[in-house]
């Protein structure tokens, strides 16, 4: 045991921290998209695993064609929106249950992504100029400037999302997720709001895919596999840890969106910690699922314990 502990180098964790923060901020964009469907719309959307890879595929192929990396992200966002549109139409126009509609879209996007790239993966290299995000920025001499830009971009996204869900269409989406029957009774076209919410959500996921593909210098058809678990982990971790801090404040929704990015960073730190402890990498997906399950269970167990205490007092 002492030999095992002595072989662990704490500095390895410290050196990995900038990369954890960068990945957490990037994947936090996807987590915001998951939050929109999972919490606001109350829709189980598994399109994420496909639309993230689509965003990456579109961005990489456009960059290879000579497009500026920042402009390519616009098309990555639009590609993700198309994936959300497909899920929305399958659900609203054809009456397919939401989770099945998203699975059908996710499966279809695998073939679409292969068609976009022509093969299983395409590379642009982390040495490409003008990339929005790149692994080489993390260790560069001016890495602080990169993180400032990344954090600023995430804050701008929070502001835009906060503004959007304060508009009429945003309020209609929130009403649909809260009580669909009541929303319909108030004259809201709930089918339309569902489609719009799914498009916004998967647009953000596609944007994340485009940024992450630039970060790692390549796009892969399997890059989105398990993305929904990471998104849920970031959302649930942020709610469990920061839920009470955000509750009751004037800008509660903005605090919640910001906390999601922190939740994503904490997830990646925990992920790195497990690797640092030399746990078998083959079980990392199992670890992710266990983390999500544990944090999902915390609110229920706390409420159950609190109700028992209330009954005991009576």
């Amino acid at each position: 045991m002492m030999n095992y502990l002595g072989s662990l180098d704490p500095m390895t964790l410290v050196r990995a921290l900038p990369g954890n923060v960068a990945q957490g901020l990037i994947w936090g964009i996807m987590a915001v998209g998951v939050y929109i469907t999972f919490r606001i719309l109350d829709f189980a959307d598994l399109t994420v695993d496909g639309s993230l890879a689509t965003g990456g595929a579109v961005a990489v192929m456009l960059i290879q064609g000579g497009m500026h990396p920042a402009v390519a992200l616009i098309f990555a966002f639009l590609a993700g929106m198309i994936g959300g549109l497909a899920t929305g139409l399958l659900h609203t126009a054809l009456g397919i249950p939401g989770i099945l509609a998203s699975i059908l879209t996710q499966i279809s996007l695998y073939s679409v992504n292969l068609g976009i790239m022509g093969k299983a993966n395409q590379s642009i290299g982390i040495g490409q100029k003008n990339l929005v995000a790149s692994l080489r920025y993390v260790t560069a001499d001016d890495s602080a400037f990169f993180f400032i830009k990344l954090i600023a971009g995430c804050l701008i996204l929070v502001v835009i999302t906060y503004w959007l869900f304060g508009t009429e269409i945003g309020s209609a989406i929130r009403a649909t997720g809260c009580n669909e029957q009541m929303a319909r009774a108030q004259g809201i076209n709930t089918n339309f709001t569902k489609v719009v919410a799914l498009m916004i959500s998967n647009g953000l996921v596609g944007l994340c895919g485009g940024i992450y593909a630039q970060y790692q210098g390549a796009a892969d058809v399997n890059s989105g596999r398990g993305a929904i678990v990471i998104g849920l982990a970031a959302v649930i971790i942020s709610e469990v840890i920061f839920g009470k801090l955000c509750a009751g404040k004037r800008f509660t929704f903005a605090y919640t969106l910001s906390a999601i990015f922190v939740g994503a960073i904490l997830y990646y730190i925990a992920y790195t910690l497990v690797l640092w402890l030399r746990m078998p990498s083959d079980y990392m997906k199992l670890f992710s699922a266990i983390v999500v399950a544990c944090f999902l269970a915390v609110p229920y167990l706390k409420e159950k314990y609190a109700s028992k205490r209330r009954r005991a007092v009576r």
Side-chain angles (χ1 to χ4, degrees):
M1 185 65 178
M2 294 302 296
N3 291 334
Y4 166 72
L5 294 175
S7 65
L8 300 176
D9 181 13
M11 290 306 298
T12 303
L13 280 177
V14 175
R15 288 191 292 269
L17 188 60
N20 295 153
V21 174
Q23 288 195 77
L25 290 171
I26 294 170
W27 284 86
I29 300 171
M30 180 269 297
V32 170
V34 171
Y35 179 81
I36 291 172
T37 51
F38 180 62
R39 285 300 190 213
I40 298 179
L41 190 62
D42 193 22
F43 187 100
D45 183 26
L46 300 181
T47 314
V48 172
D49 287 14
S51 55
L52 187 136
T54 301
V58 169
V60 165
M61 296 308 294
L62 289 176
I63 292 171
Q64 284 186 355
M67 183 175 288
H68 192 284
V71 178
L73 293 181
I74 298 174
F75 291 92
F77 179 82
L78 294 175
M81 290 187 76
I82 293 174
L85 174 64
T87 297
L89 293 178
L90 286 173
H91 175 58
T92 58
L94 301 181
I96 300 173
I99 191 168
L100 293 180
S102 62
I103 290 173
L104 289 174
T105 306
Q106 177 198 126
I107 294 171
S108 302
L109 285 176
Y110 184 89
S111 297
V112 171
N113 296 336
L114 280 175
I116 292 172
M117 295 191 291
K119 55 182 181 179
N121 53 71
Q122 288 280 1
S123 174
I124 53 174
I126 59 174
Q128 175 83 23
K129 292 183 178 180
N130 300 319
L131 292 177
V132 173
S134 174
L135 273 168
R136 63 189 172 90
Y137 296 161
V138 175
T139 56
D141 294 335
D142 59 345
S143 60
F145 180 61
F146 164 65
F147 282 103
I148 290 172
K149 290 195 300 181
L150 195 57
I151 292 171
C154 293
L155 290 176
I156 291 172
L157 176 63
V158 169
V159 171
I160 293 174
T161 307
Y162 179 83
W163 167 81
L164 177 63
F165 281 91
T167 62
E168 183 176 348
I169 183 63
S171 299
I173 293 171
R174 296 168 78 170
T176 301
C178 183
N179 190 322
E180 185 176 348
Q181 289 74 27
M182 182 61 72
R184 195 179 294 116
Q186 296 298 319
I188 296 173
N189 185 338
T190 55
N191 284 340
F192 175 74
T193 55
K194 286 180 181 180
V195 173
V196 171
L198 286 165
M199 289 178 68
I200 296 171
S201 170
N202 284 280
L204 291 175
V205 174
L207 175 63
C208 170
I211 297 175
Y212 189 66
Q214 293 185 33
Y215 178 80
Q216 62 181 3
D220 191 279
V221 290
N222 294 313
S223 59
R225 183 172 295 176
I228 185 64
V229 177
I230 299 174
L232 287 174
V235 171
I236 301 303
I237 290 172
S238 66
E239 288 180 342
V240 171
I241 297 178
F242 303 103
K244 288 187 177 180
L245 296 176
C246 297
K249 294 187 177 181
R250 183 179 178 184
F251 299 104
T252 299
F253 186 52
Y255 282 116
T256 301
L257 293 174
S258 302
I260 291 173
F261 288 94
V262 181
I265 292 172
L266 292 176
Y267 170 82
Y268 269 98
I269 291 175
Y271 191 91
T272 302
L273 178 62
V274 172
L275 290 176
W276 178 71
L277 293 172
R278 297 181 182 175
M279 300 295 180
S281 58
D282 293 343
Y283 296 101
M284 294 310 295
K285 295 295 184 184
L286 176 61
F287 163 75
S288 301
I290 291 173
V291 168
V292 174
C294 289
F295 277 94
L296 279 171
V298 167
Y300 169 76
L301 295 176
K302 286 175 65 176
E303 179 59 30
K304 188 176 180 180
Y305 176 72
S307 63
K308 280 185 177 180
R309 289 194 64 182
R310 286 194 295 267
R311 286 197 298 268
V313 171
R314 293 173 187 171

